[in-house]
Amino acid sequence: MKPKHSKAKREHTLDRGVSTLDEAAAWFARQSIEEIECVVPDLAGVARGKIMPVRKFLGAPSMNLPLAVFYQTITGDFPEFEGAVNAVQSDTDIFLTPDFATLAAVPWAQDPTAQVIHDAFHPDGRPVEEAPRQVLRRVLALYSEKGWNPIVAPEIEFYLVDRNTDPDYPLKPPVGRSGRPETGRQGYSISAVNEFDALFEDMYEYSERQGLEIDTLIHESGVAQMEINLRHGHPLELADQVFMMKRTIREAALEHEIYATFMAKPMASEPGSAMHIHQSIVDRKGRNLFSDDEGRETALFHGFIAGQQTYLPAIMAILAPYVNSYRRIARDSGAPVNTQWGYDNRTCGLRVPPSDPANRRLENRIPSSDANPYLAIAATLAAGYLGMVAGLKPSEPVNTDASVAGVQLPRSLSESLRLFEACKPLVDILGPTFCAAYDRVKQAEYETFMRTISPWEREFLLLNV
């Protein structure tokens, strides 16, 4: 394991976020920053962009990339563009402008390095609809028009696994400080977390230096499965934090020669990993619209629940974006597989946690940890918005085991994409250009998967059929 940090390293603390280019220049000078990573989240939530010297960035903070960056599949390929954009358009430049509020250190870099998240625009100034940050902004604008402000708090589950350099071999839990890999289920165990103290010490330091606010760290029910809870706040800020936190956790793990994975179902015998999203809506004065003056549930609260119940199947292509995601959506898997809701009922896809009226909220337990945080938050808020504006009514809350009703969600990416394409209200909210791009990329990824022959097929079909 890596030794604990020296006091000198701990004193090298960096703040996060500025407002203008001039403030950024002063920030770089204070921190002796030499390079900057100019990043933009793609459809998968992967950081794309360029690395450049600070002096070049200060001279021209906007950068160019081809539009095709938002059409790249997780395998690095590109789908057929026909029906979304044409090949010429896909290769034309878009302009990426820094959001200086996201300026932060890259604490794992060897040389003093900063990072800043960018927004994408066409040459005529129009936002690029395919960009995940723009999709979330589009949904938030609808809320703003109503005088509503969503508040979210994501919870991210992930596994620590031994280094796996040959994908033909299954993943294994890593060796901790005891010299032994974890065995059995160690849910909520403090000592199981302490097995990786040095790693989490780095993770907390890296998070602090980036201004990422971790609320809690716990051991989940799987072997070496962990969960990070983030403080509640503005949806775009929290999506940025999840985007940066995933990168931070991976980098901290790599420094200790193990992997951190956000795959939804990395090991067949272990539970899947989720990204639960707690959601509430407040007015411009900060009053929770899910509670009335007497503390009772409101029609808007019920509409928000009903919207999520109604549109969960259609947004599954976003909440569970890969073929692996659907290995988590299985009966008796421990994951919610339904569109039911209930009070503090974790067998329901939608849970109302215990709280006082001022903090009444809804937890969507369906998204998997592999989901793009910008798109997952946008999709679940879009579903709630549709329910609120239409005055939809939810079903009765479930206070028993909701899983006995069976799987009420799509069981495959292809089925989810079919429902996604056909849901006009959702397409209108998220944007037809984005939806066409997303569908095209996911269809291409599915076709790539279908060209792969699995060990199960060789084991049971090779000599038996």
Side-chain angles (χ1 to χ4, degrees):
M1 283 291 186
K2 183 179 175 181
K4 292 184 181 292
H5 295 298
S6 67
K7 185 174 185 293
K9 184 172 181 181
R10 286 187 177 281
E11 288 173 349
H12 189 52
T13 301
L14 302 179
D15 51 346
R16 175 171 181 256
V18 297
S19 299
T20 65
L21 183 61
D22 288 341
E23 290 180 7
W27 188 93
F28 294 142
R30 285 198 310 273
Q31 314 300 345
S32 302
I33 297 294
E34 299 172 2
E35 288 187 332
I36 184 163
E37 297 179 353
C38 303
V39 301
V40 61
D42 72 358
L43 291 187
V46 173
R48 308 285 180 187
K50 298 179 180 180
I51 302 173
M52 63 181 71
V54 162
R55 63 182 182 277
K56 180 176 180 180
F57 176 82
L58 291 175
S62 182
M63 66 172 176
N64 298 4
L65 287 177
L67 179 63
V69 73
F70 296 115
Y71 287 84
Q72 193 166 7
T73 69
I74 198 66
T75 62
D77 299 317
F78 296 92
E80 292 293 330
F81 291 108
E82 186 178 352
V85 295
N86 62 47
V88 173
Q89 286 177 307
S90 72
D91 208 32
T92 57
D93 272 353
I94 54 173
F95 297 89
L96 295 151
T97 302
D99 180 347
F100 287 113
T102 67
L103 181 64
V106 181
W108 52 84
Q110 292 186 351
D111 297 319
T113 304
Q115 60 186 317
V116 64
I117 300 174
H118 286 58
D119 286 307
F121 298 90
H122 291 287
D124 61 6
R126 291 178 296 116
V128 173
E129 289 188 32
E130 297 93 331
R133 278 187 119 224
Q134 173 56 24
V135 176
L136 179 52
R137 278 200 170 101
R138 182 184 176 109
V139 173
L140 295 178
L142 294 174
Y143 275 89
S144 182
E145 289 172 6
K146 297 284 188 181
W148 301 338
N149 297 309
I151 305 293
V152 302
E155 302 172 347
I156 320 156
E157 296 173 349
F158 61 97
Y159 276 90
L160 298 176
V161 298
D162 201 17
R163 287 175 64 91
N164 179 274
T165 57
D166 188 338
D168 283 339
Y169 286 88
L171 300 176
K172 300 185 297 183
V175 173
R177 66 177 185 174
S178 67
R180 300 177 63 184
E182 184 179 313
T183 57
R185 297 289 169 84
Q186 302 294 331
Y188 304 104
S189 168
I190 298 297
S191 61
V193 173
N194 290 342
E195 280 287 295
F196 303 98
D197 263 350
L199 187 160
F200 290 125
E201 180 188 350
D202 281 349
M203 184 193 73
Y204 271 100
E205 181 187 344
Y206 291 170
S207 299
E208 182 180 347
R209 291 173 65 192
Q210 295 172 91
L212 305 177
E213 297 187 75
I214 299 175
D215 192 22
T216 56
L217 165 67
I218 64 170
H219 192 295
E220 262 294 344
S221 57
V223 174
Q225 185 187 32
M226 309 294 170
E227 179 182 279
I228 292 286
N229 297 341
L230 299 179
R231 297 285 301 275
H232 64 273
H234 187 276
L236 184 59
E237 294 175 4
L238 267 296
D240 286 338
Q241 289 204 38
V242 174
F243 171 69
M244 297 170 73
M245 180 61 72
K246 281 187 170 183
R247 193 175 178 215
T248 299
I249 294 169
R250 287 194 195 96
E251 291 290 341
L254 283 172
E255 290 199 1
H256 294 267
E257 299 188 354
I258 62 178
Y259 293 167
T261 180
F262 297 89
M263 283 179 64
K265 186 76 170 177
M267 290 182 276
S269 59
E270 297 299 326
S273 291
M275 181 173 65
H276 301 154
I277 304 174
H278 292 251
Q279 311 151 89
S280 59
I281 312 297
V282 301
D283 63 16
R284 291 196 171 104
K285 295 181 179 179
R287 183 174 62 91
N288 191 335
L289 296 178
F290 290 168
S291 301
D292 65 16
D293 292 339
E294 282 73 44
R296 297 170 299 195
E297 296 175 359
T298 63
L300 286 176
F301 181 53
H302 292 155
F304 190 82
I305 295 172
Q308 304 226 346
Q309 285 191 296
T310 301
Y311 293 101
L312 266 176
I315 63 175
M316 277 296 289
I318 290 175
L319 306 186
Y322 303 101
V323 287
N324 177 262
S325 312
Y326 295 85
R327 301 190 188 281
R328 173 179 165 262
I329 306 298
R331 191 170 178 175
D332 301 323
S333 67
V337 294
N338 55 71
T339 61
Q340 303 302 312
W341 74 285
Y343 298 99
D344 199 19
N345 186 343
R346 286 183 168 85
T347 68
C348 294
L350 302 167
R351 167 179 171 256
V352 179
S355 71
D356 57 33
N359 293 300
R360 182 170 279 129
R361 62 194 185 276
L362 182 69
E363 177 191 16
N364 187 341
R365 296 176 55 78
I366 299 299
S368 51
S369 60
D370 55 4
N372 181 318
Y374 301 97
L375 300 181
I377 292 171
T380 193
L381 289 178
Y385 175 87
L386 287 168
M388 292 169 78
V389 296
L392 299 182
K393 307 293 184 186
S395 63
E396 290 298 314
V398 175
N399 56 16
T400 56
D401 186 353
S403 65
V404 298
V407 180
Q408 300 173 326
L409 296 167
R411 290 299 310 277
S412 70
L413 181 59
S414 58
E415 183 184 356
S416 292
L417 288 171
R418 180 178 57 80
L419 296 173
F420 177 71
E421 286 181 278
C423 186
K424 188 176 185 304
L426 187 66
V427 171
D428 289 343
I429 282 190
L430 299 180
T433 301
F434 158 73
C435 290
Y438 189 83
D439 177 72
R440 191 58 52 87
V441 166
K442 292 300 164 185
Q443 294 283 6
E445 290 175 352
Y446 181 74
E447 292 301 324
T448 301
F449 170 79
M450 291 301 292
R451 291 197 292 269
T452 302
I453 308 302
S454 70
W456 185 94
E457 292 163 277
R458 290 190 291 270
E459 181 176 355
F460 294 105
L461 304 181
L462 181 65
L463 301 177
N464 294 327
V465 296

